[in-house]
Amino acid sequence: MWWGKRKYRKSLSLLLCGVLLSGTGSGAYSALAAGIPDNSPAGAKDFKVGAFKQVGAATAAGKKNVVMTVDAVPQIIKEVSPSVVGIIGKYSGDRSSGPDDRYNLTHGSGIIVKADGWIITNAHVIKGLQNAVVVTSDAKSYSITASYIDEVSDLALIKINAKSLKPARFASASSKLQVGEKVIAIGTPISFSLRNSATVGVVSGLNRAVDAAYRLIQSDTAINPGNSGGPLVSMRGEVLGVNSLKYAAVGVENMGFSIPADTVQYIMNQLFKYGEVKRPSLGLELEESWSAIVGLPAQDPLTVTKVVSAEAEQAGITAGDVLYAIDGHRVASLVDINEWFKSYKPGTAVKLLMQSDGDIVTRKLVLGQGDPLTGGEEAEGDGEAEAQTEE
């Protein structure tokens, strides 16, 4: 389900979205302040807000120093917000619904990646969007002059005629993340007037395979319609990923998903260089094992259901063969292959460890170019969790 206008779906849905976080240090401030006696030698003159401050003895017995700490979240939001934009427009064709008037609009979010006006956002935010307007944090409006869309990754690059913008800093690798790490999301939830809203949460899981061609970051930051394309930010002020999906249903709370920074960088490099993503392809249709489909920690191989390319036929691969590994790297799911192929180019020769007619064999295959392998069927709106996109 696409979100953008203020469309809502009653059943549990995975929404393409941008997340946002809000946090202040008021709670910690009050608790610490209350712990300093009025007659403390430190006194009010030693109480400093906005920095680390060591004050005098809090108790006569222990004479231990009390260290005041201030929540870093507000400062991080202040630093990153200038790199976050709102995107608004009207969908055309079958994505448009409701009366055809000037108020029937949809919106999403984006992240500035170059000072001269290049912005990364979700593909589902931009596709079919007419008369789109980008609004920066200083309330300046721009038209989109160029766009490159990659629906497989759900990422898109757009260009506005602007200078001296503040690019966001992207994390070098999402592999450094830890479950439980505090994160911030910034975006444009529900109403376009709520641009640069923020929410705070933690990383709930890593390497999630959820209705996407690549693995995602899971977090419990609040996600709402209109947040698609916004950043998930670390406590170092770096963009960890682009918010894209959420689960939405009665009884399900705070399950959002972001496209990791390494995948974002891979897609951006391709779009900047070619204007499209040139992905390698095995030229095969593959079926995952039952264990992989339900999420069991198994290493069952994939089964070839159809040979699509001439290269695959020349390699001697036939329907019913079983794939164990690519260049010595074990693969057990379609997402495994897509992730592995981010370091490959079309035309590269690879060795496939396979089983054919009961024999373990090695097939040499020259990779073609095409869409990566995707699998799984979207859940219906029957009350169970469904992955949806959210603008």
Side-chain angles (χ1 to χ4, degrees):
M1 175 177 178
W2 302 98
W3 289 80
K5 304 173 189 170
R6 299 169 58 181
K7 307 180 194 172
Y8 303 90
R9 182 169 180 170
K10 295 182 179 179
S11 61
L12 179 57
S13 322
L14 198 68
L15 317 170
L16 291 166
C17 57
V19 184
L20 75 98
L21 308 160
S22 69
T24 66
S26 59
Y29 172 94
S30 299
L32 287 169
I36 300 177
D38 292 339
N39 60 354
S40 167
K45 64 181 180 180
D46 289 330
F47 192 85
K48 185 176 180 180
V49 178
F52 292 95
K53 178 65 179 178
Q54 193 172 41
V55 298
T59 63
K63 292 186 178 181
K64 293 181 179 179
N65 290 328
V66 178
V67 178
M68 294 296 301
T69 60
V70 175
D71 193 350
V73 170
Q75 182 61 32
I76 293 172
I77 295 172
K78 182 178 180 180
E79 291 177 358
V80 177
S81 283
S83 302
V84 182
V85 303
I87 304 168
I88 190 168
K90 184 176 178 61
Y91 279 136
S92 61
D94 56 4
R95 293 188 61 188
S96 179
S97 62
D100 186 16
D101 59 41
R102 60 178 180 168
Y103 299 110
N104 188 24
L105 303 172
T106 186
H107 70 269
S109 306
I111 308 166
I112 297 169
V113 295
K114 288 192 176 184
D116 61 354
W118 284 103
I119 295 164
I120 191 78
T121 185
N122 284 137
H124 73 266
V125 170
I126 294 301
K127 184 182 178 183
L129 197 64
Q130 294 183 329
N131 302 319
V133 174
V134 174
V135 179
T136 54
S137 63
D138 57 0
K140 293 182 179 179
S141 301
Y142 301 88
S143 297
I144 297 175
T145 59
S147 63
Y148 301 99
I149 297 175
D150 180 59
E151 292 187 70
V152 171
S153 65
D154 191 31
L155 290 170
L157 273 175
I158 59 175
K159 179 73 166 61
I160 60 176
N161 285 330
K163 297 180 179 179
S164 302
L165 298 178
K166 183 180 180 181
R169 290 187 297 115
F170 280 77
S172 57
S174 58
S175 59
K176 297 178 182 178
L177 273 177
Q178 298 184 67
V179 174
E181 185 173 329
K182 196 173 185 179
V183 288
I184 304 167
I186 305 173
T188 309
I190 309 298
S191 169
F192 200 67
S193 63
L194 302 180
R195 297 184 305 279
N196 291 81
S197 295
T199 56
V200 177
V202 299
V203 174
S204 304
L206 300 171
N207 299 316
R208 301 304 199 199
V210 182
D211 265 23
Y214 301 99
R215 297 198 180 277
L216 305 175
I217 301 168
Q218 179 188 346
S219 76
D220 70 349
T221 51
I223 297 176
N224 293 285
N227 287 147
S228 283
L232 185 71
V233 183
S234 73
M235 296 305 291
R236 296 174 295 279
E238 297 175 328
V239 175
L240 300 171
V242 174
N243 299 308
S244 181
L245 300 168
K246 71 174 286 185
Y247 274 109
V250 175
V252 176
E253 298 178 356
N254 297 345
M255 291 187 67
F257 299 88
S258 308
I259 303 168
D262 56 348
T263 299
V264 176
Q265 292 286 4
Y266 164 68
I267 299 298
M268 283 200 302
N269 291 341
Q270 293 266 322
L271 293 178
F272 276 128
K273 188 173 183 178
Y274 305 114
E276 62 177 335
V277 180
K278 294 185 176 181
R279 292 183 173 88
S281 172
L282 288 171
L284 303 171
E285 288 186 6
L286 297 169
E287 181 179 70
E288 294 179 333
S289 69
W290 175 83
S291 297
I293 292 172
V294 301
L296 289 174
Q299 289 293 312
D300 297 337
L302 297 100
T303 301
V304 177
T305 58
K306 185 178 181 180
V307 177
V308 178
S309 71
E311 291 85 355
E313 289 183 356
Q314 292 171 6
I317 301 172
T318 60
D321 288 354
V322 174
L323 174 64
Y324 287 94
I326 301 173
D327 281 349
H329 181 82
R330 190 68 178 264
V331 290
S333 70
L334 302 176
V335 173
D336 284 345
I337 297 175
N338 296 337
E339 287 287 342
W340 187 244
F341 274 0
K342 286 194 291 188
S343 60
Y344 282 70
K345 295 180 179 179
T348 303
V350 296
K351 291 183 178 180
L352 309 181
L353 181 64
M354 308 188 74
Q355 182 178 359
S356 181
D357 292 329
D359 297 323
I360 299 299
V361 298
T362 298
R363 304 294 192 196
K364 187 175 181 180
L365 172 66
V366 176
L367 297 174
Q369 179 177 329
D371 288 342
L373 303 157
T374 56
E377 296 182 358
E378 293 188 5
E380 296 298 327
D382 57 0
E384 296 190 2
E386 179 184 350
Q388 292 191 350
T389 59
E390 179 180 17
E391 282 129 35

